[in-house]
Amino acid sequence: MDLSTIIGIVLGLFAVFGGAALEGLHMSALIQPTAAIIVLGGTAAATIVSFPLPILMTAVKDLKKVFMPPKEDPEAVIKNIINYAAKARRNGLISLEQEAQTVKDSFTKKGISLVVDGIDPQKLRETMEIELSSFEAHGKHSAEVFESAGGFAPTIGIIGAVLGLIHVMSNLSDPSKLGGGIAVAFVATIYGLMTANIFCIPFGTKLKIRLKEELLQKEMVIEGLIAIQNGENPHFIEQKLRAYLHDGGEKKGK
């Protein structure tokens, strides 16, 4: 589990509800099912209208990345590339054909297959960078879904508050209920702001970070496979790939 995500959500909720409790506000005043239905349902509806269904389904699947970091880290990528380099140096590039059948990552698998096929290094880079660009474009969609939801939620919250106020104004004959009715109406605004700023927008930001991490690893795979194809020393390849970790993935000379 990603501790920063869990800690952030718990801290955010504690800050809101804890602060309300310190002001003497009863928690029951903040628990309004009607407001929750308006905000969550309205936000979901607006988001569904905004994106095609396949992108929405992918965003839901990618939600697990917010709570669970990728299993493979840059160190694991370096280790695998070095193993491929050592094997190719001993037995030739054709010996990597077996690796292409066993590796789970489709991006790495395709790269190894191209190396085994003897494709020109420049063509290899061009092909893999096209794959990388496509992966990046699709990866951004999930973050955009949650960021859009974060933009809709406060507005839907205001709609909920206005609806609540309309209900209050329709019952002006009983002044004793006005204060409580107005307070309930504004709970929808709180729900909208919390949904946006504690959940949706931070989730979108975390997904962007995850995407950058995955792009970095794939860039390392490209550089490593090209170095293997050029017959470079495994130790030198390792040093080259570790440079990505030192400069945050920015390529030298850019």
Side-chain angles (χ1 to χ4, degrees):
M1 296 292 288
D2 186 277
L3 287 180
S4 68
T5 300
I6 303 300
I7 292 173
I9 291 175
V10 172
L11 184 60
L13 294 175
F14 176 78
V16 173
F17 290 101
L22 288 175
E23 286 294 319
L25 184 66
H26 293 290
M27 290 301 99
S28 59
L30 294 178
I31 301 175
Q32 301 294 336
T34 303
I37 290 172
I38 292 173
V39 172
L40 298 180
T43 300
T47 305
I48 291 171
V49 171
S50 301
F51 294 91
L53 189 58
I55 291 179
L56 292 170
M57 294 177 65
T58 300
V60 172
K61 292 179 182 178
D62 286 344
L63 184 59
K64 65 181 180 180
K65 295 180 181 180
V66 174
F67 296 93
M68 302 189 68
K71 294 181 179 179
E72 192 170 61
D73 57 22
E75 289 293 339
V77 172
I78 293 175
K79 181 179 179 181
N80 290 336
I81 292 296
I82 297 308
N83 289 338
Y84 300 153
K87 187 172 183 178
R89 197 173 181 85
R90 288 194 309 268
N91 306 318
L93 293 177
I94 194 66
S95 65
L96 297 180
E97 186 172 8
Q98 184 177 0
E99 300 291 343
Q101 303 302 320
T102 59
V103 67
K104 294 181 179 180
D105 179 60
S106 59
F107 185 85
T108 304
K109 183 175 183 178
K110 180 171 184 176
I112 294 175
S113 297
L114 292 174
V115 169
V116 172
D117 290 341
I119 189 173
D120 179 76
Q122 183 60 34
K123 293 295 184 182
L124 172 62
R125 180 183 294 279
E126 292 175 359
T127 302
M128 297 304 291
E129 286 185 347
I130 290 173
E131 288 282 330
L132 187 65
S133 297
S134 177
F135 176 83
E136 182 179 9
H138 284 85
K140 287 180 178 179
H141 289 158
S142 295
E144 290 170 353
V145 167
F146 287 101
E147 288 179 339
S148 294
F152 296 135
T155 304
I156 302 297
I158 293 173
I159 293 175
V162 172
L163 291 174
L165 290 175
I166 291 174
H167 177 70
V168 170
M169 298 302 289
S170 66
N171 291 280
L172 288 177
S173 58
D174 189 355
S176 64
K177 296 183 179 180
L178 290 181
I182 293 173
V184 170
F186 281 107
V187 170
T189 304
I190 295 174
Y191 282 6
L193 293 171
M194 288 178 58
T195 300
N197 295 290
I198 296 181
F199 296 100
C200 293
I201 295 176
F203 285 1
T205 302
K206 182 60 68 74
L207 287 175
K208 284 183 177 179
I209 292 174
R210 294 283 188 254
L211 178 59
K212 288 181 180 179
E213 292 172 349
E214 292 180 279
L215 290 174
L216 171 63
Q217 294 180 29
K218 294 185 184 302
E219 288 177 2
M220 292 169 65
V221 169
I222 293 174
E223 289 298 330
L225 292 179
I226 290 175
I228 291 173
Q229 192 173 41
N230 289 331
E232 296 178 10
N233 184 283
H235 178 70
F236 177 73
I237 295 175
E238 180 179 5
Q239 297 304 312
K240 179 187 292 186
L241 296 183
R242 289 197 177 280
Y244 276 82
L245 306 184
H246 299 154
D247 59 19
E250 295 293 332
K251 292 185 179 181
K252 303 295 184 182
K254 272 195 173 182

